[in-house]
Amino acid sequence: MLDMELIRKDREAVATALAKRLDPAEVNRALDEIQRLDQERRALIGEIDAERQRRKAEARAYAEAKRAGREPEVVASETGRKQLSELESELDEVQGRLRTAMSELPNLPADDVVAGGKEANRVVRTFGEQPTIEKVRDHVELSRLLGLVDHERGVKLGGSGFWMYTGMGARLEWALLNFFVDENVRAGYEFLLPPHLLLDTAGYAAGQFPKFYDDVYHLDRESAPRGQFLLPTAETAILGAYQDEILDRAALPLKRFAYTPCYRREAAGAHSDERGTVRGHQFNKVEIFQFTLPEQADAALEEMVRHAESLVEKLGLHYQRSLLSAGDASASMRKTLDIEVWMPSMGKYKEVSSVSWAGDYQARRAAIRYREPGGKQTRFVHTLNGSALATSRLLPAVLEQFQQPDGSVLVPEVLRDRLGTDRLTPAR
């Protein structure tokens, strides 16, 4: 959520930044409504304060008259009490509308994030070179040839958009996840295993609700009257775990990570770019997260990007780093850098990690703060998150980049001890 004070003080700067993501006319309509509601809210607060002061003054006068033996005047009429109640009810309604309007605004993109969609994304770093493969097999063919993924039984179990890892495929998936866990612990992140069912308050805090409410799987209200959903990413759980807390300033940056399956209602396409495990309704991901002081955020972002890249590098995969445009980044984030692995069968790169800085946008929604030294004043922390890493595209990249002419696939060196082999060979 944006800072209301910033909108009051520098609406023009807010509008200019938001116009990188939204139509300028839409931005101005939204800001007009927000400022109108803010003025109405402040006026109602003034009226309520004045009415309360009037009633306090009458109560004091009544008490003084009683002490002096005079006949006191009637303190507050039923009409006065009703008026105060009505004002408070009206304030609640206006504040609710203002909160909804504010929650629908996206974050302000960072200064170096440009306007536009995917076409405006910019490659800022590359690692390695595209492998030369004479006859490319795609990951779906390879996974079937090697007996790694059972797509048909996955659909039988869960429907379209689901799959089942089998044999060495399940072991390779688990080896990747364990490798990421070990590397994240080594990098100073504390390991969490959160619930997969979260309250709606966690979705709101992360900025996914209300705009993307329909993108996740919800429990029905009869079985979950408080509202619960299956987490779409561990980012939501890690952030939500610290809602309404004041963190120890000396402990910042606070570094956490979690492994979870991720559940999403996005369509699983039949296009070659989305076949196999590239896109589906459930996939595995290890997520890193940092709560920082505002002045620590820049360094934390670069540290997290380099850490995620180091995992891809240790696997020996060719990839690129891209700075996303405002229109292609999540609405909650000020800045996002994607790590994209090369997929030979597609002739293009696919994202396996997004590392993002939210500024204080999520912290405002979640009321996560820290206290300034020697005082009572609190400030909002900054939050950053990133995949380290998601496997549903990483495993296809391993299969395709390390495939051999005989149909076998070389195992990345860092995984060989975990799998007990240096090569995956076709099932006989």
Side-chain angles (χ1 to χ4, degrees), residues 77-92:
S77 67
E78 287 296 323
T79 305
R81 283 194 290 272
K82 185 178 179 183
Q83 181 185 14
L84 182 58
S85 174
E86 286 176 348
L87 286 170
E88 289 172 336
S89 177
E90 191 177 347
L91 176 61
D92 287 343

Side-chain angles (χ1 to χ4, degrees), residues 38-297:
D38 181 48
Q39 289 167 2
E40 190 174 345
R41 181 186 70 87
R42 296 170 84 183
L44 283 166
I45 290 172
E47 288 184 60
I48 290 169
D49 287 346
E51 178 63 20
R52 287 175 177 161
Q53 289 302 317
R54 181 185 70 76
R55 294 183 69 183
K56 285 180 182 178
E58 287 182 347
R60 283 195 297 269
Y62 180 92
E64 288 171 3
K66 292 288 283 183
R67 283 195 298 270
R70 300 193 308 271
E71 185 65 28
E73 297 180 8
V74 177
V75 175
S77 67
E78 287 296 323
T79 305
R81 283 194 290 272
K82 185 178 179 183
Q83 181 185 14
L84 182 58
S85 174
E86 286 176 348
L87 286 170
E88 289 172 336
S89 177
E90 191 177 347
L91 176 61
D92 287 343
E93 190 266 337
V94 168
Q95 287 185 147
R97 286 162 56 199
L98 177 59
R99 185 173 180 81
T100 298
M102 288 288 287
S103 71
E104 290 174 347
L105 283 180
N107 205 345
L108 304 181
D111 292 341
D112 59 342
V113 173
V114 300
K118 288 183 181 294
E119 75 287 344
N121 293 348
R122 181 167 56 91
V123 176
V124 293
R125 184 175 186 270
T126 351
F127 173 80
E129 297 181 356
Q130 296 176 10
T132 302
I133 303 169
E134 189 173 334
K135 183 182 177 182
V136 176
R137 292 182 172 95
D138 71 20
H139 57 282
V140 178
E141 180 184 352
L142 287 165
S143 66
R144 286 190 172 128
L145 181 67
L146 299 169
L148 307 179
V149 182
D150 192 329
H151 298 283
E152 290 73 20
R153 289 192 174 96
V155 172
K156 182 193 293 186
L157 284 171
S160 177
F162 291 90
W163 57 84
M164 182 168 69
Y165 295 108
T166 58
M168 286 300 288
R171 290 181 59 190
L172 177 56
E173 175 80 357
W174 213 241
L176 284 166
L177 294 169
N178 277 298
F179 169 61
F180 301 151
V181 167
D182 290 346
E183 291 296 310
N184 291 336
V185 169
R186 191 173 290 114
Y189 290 84
E190 182 177 307
F191 192 13
L192 309 176
L193 284 174
H196 297 180
L197 274 174
L198 306 180
L199 294 172
D200 283 357
T201 49
Y204 176 84
Q208 290 152 351
F209 300 168
K211 186 170 184 180
F212 301 106
Y213 186 85
D214 293 332
D215 291 352
V216 301
Y217 292 100
H218 296 271
L219 270 65
D220 64 85
R221 287 289 173 174
E222 185 176 342
S223 57
R226 293 180 63 188
Q228 281 180 296
F229 64 101
L230 282 167
L231 86 174
T233 167
E235 169 202 343
T236 315
I238 299 172
L239 177 78
Y242 290 87
Q243 286 179 87
D244 303 312
E245 293 190 21
I246 298 175
L247 305 180
D248 180 5
R249 190 185 196 280
L252 299 177
L254 199 67
K255 301 167 74 172
R256 300 289 183 262
F257 83 98
Y259 156 71
T260 66
C262 302
Y263 308 92
R264 300 185 184 178
R265 293 178 62 91
E266 55 191 353
H271 191 272
S272 61
D273 285 8
E274 297 183 348
R275 293 177 65 228
T277 65
V278 169
R279 184 180 296 276
H281 300 306
Q282 177 186 326
F283 59 93
N284 291 315
K285 181 156 68 78
V286 178
E287 184 83 1
I288 55 175
F289 200 100
Q290 288 199 34
F291 302 89
T292 74
L293 299 172
E295 59 269 26
Q296 294 171 333

Side-chain angles (χ1 to χ4, degrees), residues 279-345:
R279 184 180 296 276
H281 300 306
Q282 177 186 326
F283 59 93
N284 291 315
K285 181 156 68 78
V286 178
E287 184 83 1
I288 55 175
F289 200 100
Q290 288 199 34
F291 302 89
T292 74
L293 299 172
E295 59 269 26
Q296 294 171 333
D298 281 343
L301 179 63
E302 181 58 25
E303 173 200 314
M304 292 172 73
V305 174
R306 281 300 303 136
H307 174 62
E309 287 179 336
S310 74
L311 301 180
V312 185
E313 291 173 12
K314 286 175 181 177
L315 290 169
L317 293 169
H318 166 57
Y319 73 88
Q320 66 183 19
R321 180 203 295 193
S322 294
L323 173 61
L324 299 195
S325 67
D328 197 31
S330 165
S332 302
M333 299 302 157
R334 282 179 55 76
K335 185 175 182 176
T336 296
L337 291 146
D338 272 6
I339 298 164
E340 303 158 337
V341 292
W342 175 247
M343 300 292 290
S345 70

